[in-house]
Amino acid sequence: MNKEQVDRTSISLPVDLAEYARAKGKGNTSAYLASLIERDRRLDRIKAMLAEHGYTGDRAVTDVGVAAMRERLNQVRRQRANGRQQAA
């Protein structure tokens, strides 16, 4: 076990979310939830770093902007896959 200090916290979840977390955690629900919190914290740090470098206002990274870029990338992937299928 790592030597990180651990603080025990009790949380309440709706039944469906608790069941989902238990299934995804494969016996270690706490580790699964901790990984989600850590990912969220890492995203906050990245957004703060980008804001420090001028990505604010209209240039700020937003959830809507991320979703739009993800869709553009997926569209390019689909087009490339279709092109490969047609060439085969």
Side-chain angles (χ1 to χ4, degrees), residues 16-37:
D16 60 330
L17 293 180
E19 289 171 355
Y20 182 82
R22 274 193 289 278
K24 289 293 279 191
K26 297 177 183 165
N28 196 343
T29 306
S30 293
Y32 172 69
L33 294 175
S35 71
L36 294 177
I37 294 166

Side-chain angles (χ1 to χ4, degrees), residues 42-54:
R42 190 170 41 250
L43 290 173
D44 286 346
R45 288 179 184 156
I46 291 169
K47 287 179 182 179
M49 181 183 65
L50 289 169
E52 286 176 19
H53 291 357

Side-chain angles (χ1 to χ4, degrees), residues 3-82:
K3 301 197 184 250
E4 228 179 281
Q5 188 174 5
V6 176
D7 181 23
R8 294 183 62 98
T9 300
S10 177
I11 63 169
S12 298
L13 295 170
V15 172
D16 60 330
L17 293 180
E19 289 171 355
Y20 182 82
R22 274 193 289 278
K24 289 293 279 191
K26 297 177 183 165
N28 196 343
T29 306
S30 293
Y32 172 69
L33 294 175
S35 71
L36 294 177
I37 294 166
E38 179 59 35
R39 183 178 66 183
D40 194 50
R41 184 169 67 172
R42 190 170 41 250
L43 290 173
D44 286 346
R45 288 179 184 156
I46 291 169
K47 287 179 182 179
M49 181 183 65
L50 289 169
E52 286 176 19
H53 291 357
Y55 290 91
T56 58
D58 291 344
R59 297 179 69 198
V61 176
T62 64
D63 292 339
V64 172
V66 169
M69 183 55 71
R70 183 174 291 124
E71 179 53 36
R72 286 176 60 191
L73 292 172
N74 287 334
Q75 184 177 11
V76 168
R77 288 184 186 119
R78 287 190 298 270
Q79 289 170 347
R80 287 181 182 166
N82 288 339

